[in-house]
Amino acid sequence: MRIVSWNVNGLRACATKGFGKFLAASKADVVGIQEVRAFPEQLDATTRSPRGWFTHFSAGERAGYSGVGLYSRVAPDRIETSLGDRRFDAEGRLLIAQFGRTSIVTAYFPKGSGKERDNSRVPYKLDFYKELFERVQKLKRRGPVFVMGDYNTAHEAIDLARPKTNEKTSGFLPEERAEMSRWLKAGWVDTFRAQHPGEEGHYTWWRQWGGAREKNVGWRIDYVLASPNAAKRVRDAFIWPQVKGSDHCPVGVDVD
């Protein structure tokens, strides 16, 4: 089974840049997307419900902002979209799909930077991490869990091209990195790093100016984390920087 995650940075825009072709070529069984930035009814029919896929979306209340979605070849047994906290539910940041005993989560973790790029949303971001952590800790008691999405945090210096110049930037703050570490210490596995230990230059997001993507000056902020019993099933983990259509690229895992 192949599970793929992609922050599409606006699904309507991504659809005009080949999202449908990506779905067809991905050989994925489940595709989770983040930053949909549209209500489902605003999507064209092919994007909203492509042939051969079951689709589910969780939109934020604010137009053109946030939102997540899930495409799957098999219909989920159950879908959840709430953390039970209006601060997060109103922004459409979570979708949990259950396939038998396996749970697949697509999540759009908040940025810590506010409108003035002042790191004012860091407390909100960390609260989301903590509440989702409690939710998935309960999920893993019933079976394997994969938590994929845009985590908006580079965990270690190897995960961004310029760590020294970003030590005070949200996405690489000590408290954000510590929260990622807390997940890993609790047994969650960074599937890509587990499969590619010590490998440099692997990024999933690049700024849209200054030729950052061409120069590979990026950040690895998109992950598939796996619970211990899910991680045992992972056979490969990958990043697809060659896939265009967003300022992020897809990431994923192949599992038994």
Side-chain angles (χ1 to χ4, degrees):
M1 179 173 70
R2 174 168 289 175
I3 302 169
V4 175
S5 175
W6 192 13
N7 178 322
V8 294
N9 191 20
L11 183 53
R12 286 174 291 180
C14 193
T16 68
K17 301 173 184 176
F19 179 76
K21 292 181 179 179
F22 158 76
L23 271 183
S26 68
K27 297 182 180 179
D29 299 281
V30 179
V31 176
I33 58 174
Q34 305 87 41
E35 208 169 353
V36 174
R37 292 168 53 186
F39 300 120
E41 60 270 21
Q42 293 178 305
L43 303 171
D44 65 79
T46 302
T47 305
R48 185 175 63 251
S49 185
R51 184 187 300 270
W53 294 91
F54 295 90
T55 59
H56 297 83
F57 298 93
S58 178
E61 294 179 358
R62 177 176 150 194
Y65 180 73
S66 194
V68 295
L70 190 88
Y71 293 73
S72 62
R73 291 294 190 180
V74 176
D77 299 312
R78 178 182 172 87
I79 290 287
E80 297 179 47
T81 60
S82 174
L83 267 180
D85 187 327
R86 178 166 171 74
R87 292 180 300 160
F88 308 125
D89 293 348
E91 295 194 355
R93 294 190 172 275
L94 176 69
L95 194 153
I96 302 171
Q98 295 181 352
F99 300 87
R101 298 181 65 84
T102 299
S103 298
I104 299 178
V105 180
T106 178
Y108 180 36
F109 291 71
K111 297 177 181 177
S113 55
K115 293 181 180 179
E116 306 300 324
R117 299 185 180 277
D118 54 3
N119 295 344
S120 61
R121 292 251 293 179
V122 170
Y124 172 85
K125 175 181 180 176
L126 295 179
D127 283 350
F128 181 87
Y129 264 89
K130 292 168 184 174
E131 290 203 23
L132 182 55
F133 177 81
E134 295 303 321
R135 181 73 183 90
V136 297
Q137 283 287 89
K138 293 177 182 177
L139 275 179
K140 73 178 186 179
R141 296 174 190 165
R142 68 186 301 275
V145 184
F146 295 93
V147 184
M148 60 178 166
D150 176 1
Y151 282 66
N152 263 310
T153 300
H155 183 222
E156 301 289 356
I158 195 176
D159 296 317
L160 69 167
R162 295 176 177 170
K164 289 293 184 182
T165 59
N166 285 288
E167 290 177 346
K168 296 183 180 180
T169 303
S170 178
F172 197 57
L173 297 175
E175 56 268 43
E176 295 169 330
R177 298 170 62 194
E179 185 60 25
M180 287 286 295
S181 294
R182 186 170 76 94
W183 283 55
L184 301 185
K185 289 176 182 176
W188 293 88
V189 176
D190 175 350
T191 55
F192 182 82
R193 191 54 69 202
Q195 293 283 323
H196 304 273
E199 292 185 14
E200 299 180 352
H202 294 291
Y203 308 125
T204 65
W205 174 79
W206 303 262
R207 298 187 187 279
Q208 292 179 302
W209 59 87
R213 191 159 187 165
E214 292 71 21
K215 299 172 186 175
N216 200 29
V217 180
W219 298 52
R220 189 173 74 96
I221 58 176
D222 301 84
Y223 302 80
V224 181
L225 294 194
S227 62
N229 55 348
K232 293 176 182 177
R233 303 183 180 190
V234 174
R235 292 295 168 259
D236 190 23
F238 50 83
I239 295 173
W240 287 341
Q242 74 279 8
V243 177
K244 306 295 177 62
S246 168
D247 53 351
H248 294 249
C249 74
V251 304
V253 290
D254 288 329
V255 303
D256 287 339

